[in-house]
Amino acid sequence: MAGYRRKSKKSGQYFAVGFAVFLLVYIGSQLWGFANIKLRTEQVLDDTIYDFVRAEATVFRSEEIIPQTTSGVTVYNYADGEEVAKNQQVAAVYQDKTVSMVNNQIEQLQQELESLSKAQTVKATRYSAVTNLSSQINDQAGKIVDFAADGVVEGIAEQKEEFVSLLNRKKIALGEEDTFAERITQLNSEIAYLQKAKQKEKGVSIDAPAAGYFCKEVDGYESILTSEALEDIDYAGYQQIVNQQPQATGNTVGKIVKTHVWYLGVDLENSQAQKFEIDDNVKIDFKFANGQTVAAKVVNIIPDDERKNSVIIFECKDITDQLLNVRKQSVDIIFTTYSGLRISSKALYHEQNIPGVYVLDKTTIRFKPIEIIKDNGNYILCEPRAGTDDQHTLNRLDMVITESGGIEMKDGVLLDEDTVKGVESSNASS
């Protein structure tokens, strides 16, 4: 019995010691955490956000295919997106493939000529341009790297041309080259010689059947997804058209898009479709066509019989070489744009039911009232509240307080220099 009491006493001692250690660790961690609480701020920046609907879109155009009537090597006179007149020669077909090689040589020489001619514009103030040119060269090199990393081939040739042009201009600016006049003269001579050689070969002319915009790519939807097909169409008719398979086209040189006006159709659930009305102006972001964004207008809304879905038809008027190759693609339809000052949601306070932020103004805390434009969850777009004096008006680059660090948040509070030195600051997070 005595042995049991001794064991019980020892167990109590162990428990007391263990509890004391736990208590010390707990209190120490709390004190350490409190000591590391700091005043944190974020810088106010301008920002713009969008309300948009993402959808699968179908493009409708008025187009006419250009058939290739003879076999051989096709040499084009126009690039995608260039405007041509009716009966104008858009291409020629040659029996000898050397003509195509000559044409490529002419194109390369013309690109070099254009690059050198642009470089010649750097004049007496050339040395002041070196820093700017170096920055542009670095940016351009970065673009080429991004294109290569993303596996994007289209457009990389143009990026390379601009890169070479900038390098040539820097040579002039640094005085490494006084002039490219001799090389320019030589290039003009070579181009003239090759053009004469090309003209000696007899080629079969391929003429434009209509006026419009030239495009090499033919996808088989030219007679299906037409602008005319959208006239007086119902929901079932639209579904039937967009689900048709492309038609065989045979040998073609390309096509003519006959007008700059074209249409985009999207099928949306009514919860999304109700965001649009006839004559609404929106922007369409073709994010997979080199980031092309075009203005568009809602011209028709076609509901289904059960009122569950609607097709929205947009009218567009922008023409580019990339857009001419788009037929079916995911797009973002941007219908509302919000711009304002961006602050973290953590910085928002309400004083007497007025929303605002506390700003660290040197060593003084100031409350600055705001009007909320858009609450996006993690951050807010806002503007200064009307009628506020200059001292309490929120401005770009103000340092708003996101964590108080235990300091009283009250307008006019003064901080000591040590506290201000310990402030951690950053830009507004996304």
Side-chain angles (χ1 to χ4, degrees):
M1 190 73 176
Y4 173 77
R5 283 198 295 270
R6 282 196 297 271
K7 288 181 181 179
S8 177
K9 185 176 181 181
K10 285 182 179 180
S11 297
Q13 289 173 342
Y14 291 150
F15 176 79
V17 171
F19 180 76
V21 171
F22 169 77
L23 194 61
L24 286 171
V25 170
Y26 176 78
I27 293 172
S29 66
Q30 293 299 307
L31 290 173
W32 184 88
F34 180 78
N36 281 273
I37 295 175
K38 293 183 178 180
L39 184 70
R40 288 183 169 84
T41 64
E42 286 182 349
Q43 194 174 56
V44 177
L45 299 174
D46 292 320
D47 199 7
T48 299
I49 60 175
Y50 311 95
D51 275 344
F52 66 92
V53 170
R54 183 162 293 169
E56 294 300 316
T58 303
V59 172
F60 296 78
R61 306 186 194 91
S62 179
E63 302 167 312
E64 189 167 345
I65 290 176
I66 309 171
Q68 183 161 333
T69 54
T70 185
S71 61
V73 179
T74 304
V75 176
Y76 291 94
N77 297 329
Y78 291 89
D80 285 354
E82 290 189 316
E83 196 168 359
V84 298
K86 185 178 181 179
N87 297 325
Q88 200 158 6
Q89 187 188 68
V90 294
V93 180
Y94 297 87
Q95 296 303 315
D96 189 348
K97 65 180 181 180
T98 58
V99 174
S100 179
M101 297 169 61
V102 169
N103 204 62
N104 289 336
Q105 283 182 282
I106 291 173
E107 187 175 333
Q108 290 174 8
L109 293 174
Q110 286 175 333
Q111 290 171 359
E112 184 182 352
L113 178 62
E114 183 180 348
S115 175
L116 294 180
S117 298
K118 189 184 292 185
Q120 292 283 69
T121 59
V122 181
K123 307 240 182 200
T125 56
R126 59 191 185 185
Y127 292 104
S128 65
V130 172
T131 301
N132 187 38
L133 284 169
S134 296
S135 176
Q136 291 181 54
I137 288 168
N138 290 335
D139 290 345
Q140 195 64 25
K143 288 181 182 178
I144 293 173
V145 171
D146 290 342
F147 267 68
D150 293 339
V152 177
V153 176
E154 187 177 357
I156 199 167
E158 290 80 359
Q159 301 295 336
K160 176 190 169 187
E161 291 168 27
E162 180 63 19
F163 183 68
V164 172
S165 175
L166 289 168
L167 289 175
N168 286 330
R169 289 165 66 188
K170 188 176 180 182
K171 285 182 181 179
I172 291 284
L174 288 171
E176 294 176 5
E177 296 281 356
D178 289 330
T179 178
F180 292 112
E182 185 177 342
R183 177 59 178 160
I184 288 173
T185 301
Q186 182 184 357
L187 286 169
N188 280 320
S189 177
E190 290 180 17
I191 290 169
Y193 173 79
L194 289 171
Q195 285 176 335
K196 285 181 181 179
K198 174 183 169 183
Q199 289 170 2
K200 288 179 182 178
E201 295 290 335
K202 181 67 175 175
V204 177
S205 176
I206 306 293
D207 299 332
Y213 301 89
F214 179 69
C215 180
K216 293 187 187 74
E217 183 174 327
V218 173
D219 59 18
Y221 287 106
E222 286 75 16
S223 61
I224 300 171
L225 302 176
T226 67
S227 301
E228 294 74 20
L230 294 175
E231 296 176 5
D232 300 322
I233 195 171
D234 60 12
Y235 184 86
Y238 177 88
Q239 298 300 326
Q240 184 179 5
I241 288 175
V242 297
N243 288 315
Q244 283 190 45
Q245 295 300 309
Q247 295 181 345
T249 58
N251 293 327
T252 65
V253 171
K255 63 186 175 186
I256 298 295
V257 178
K258 294 192 285 187
T259 172
H260 69 284
V261 180
W262 49 282
Y263 299 90
L264 189 83
V266 298
D267 187 2
L268 299 174
E269 293 182 0
N270 275 350
S271 60
Q272 301 281 11
Q274 64 186 5
K275 297 176 181 179
F276 302 97
E277 295 182 359
I278 299 292
D279 292 331
D280 277 355
N281 292 307
V282 301
K283 290 184 178 180
I284 311 289
D285 181 5
F286 291 84
K287 54 189 183 301
F288 298 115
N290 276 3
Q292 297 281 308
T293 301
V294 304
K297 184 172 76 171
V298 179
V299 293
N300 199 4
I301 299 176
I302 309 168
D304 66 3
D305 292 338
E306 297 178 358
R307 300 282 176 174
K308 291 182 178 179
N309 281 57
S310 292
V311 169
I312 314 296
I313 304 296
F314 300 92
E315 181 186 80
C316 309
K317 295 183 179 180
D318 290 332
I319 293 288
T320 69
D321 55 343
Q322 291 94 351
L323 290 173
L324 287 178
N325 291 316
V326 172
R327 182 65 77 180
K328 296 185 178 184
Q329 189 187 96
S330 175
V331 299
D332 288 342
I333 306 164
I334 302 167
F335 54 88
T336 309
T337 302
Y338 304 93
S339 295
L341 298 172
R342 177 176 174 140
I343 63 169
S344 171
S345 296
K346 295 185 295 184
L348 183 64
Y349 286 81
H350 287 80
E351 300 296 347
Q352 297 179 348
N353 292 325
I354 296 175
V357 294
Y358 283 100
V359 172
L360 183 59
D361 182 5
K362 296 180 181 177
T363 59
T364 305
I365 294 176
R366 301 195 188 281
F367 180 73
K368 298 193 174 186
I370 61 170
E371 299 284 355
I372 296 174
I373 298 172
K374 178 73 172 177
D375 188 339
N376 208 40
N378 292 330
Y379 63 89
I380 291 167
L381 285 189
C382 64
E383 61 184 5
R385 189 178 179 88
T388 307
D389 61 66
D390 292 343
Q391 200 175 54
H392 294 86
T393 296
L394 186 65
N395 295 297
R396 181 177 178 273
L397 304 184
D398 275 352
M399 301 305 296
V400 300
I401 297 170
T402 56
E403 293 183 29
S404 68
I407 295 170
E408 181 184 12
M409 290 292 99
K410 188 176 180 181
D411 186 56
V413 168
L414 291 172
L415 305 180
D416 59 62
E417 291 185 5
D418 289 338
T419 302
V420 173
K421 286 179 182 177
V423 171
E424 293 186 358
S425 300
S426 64
N427 291 335
S429 58
S430 59

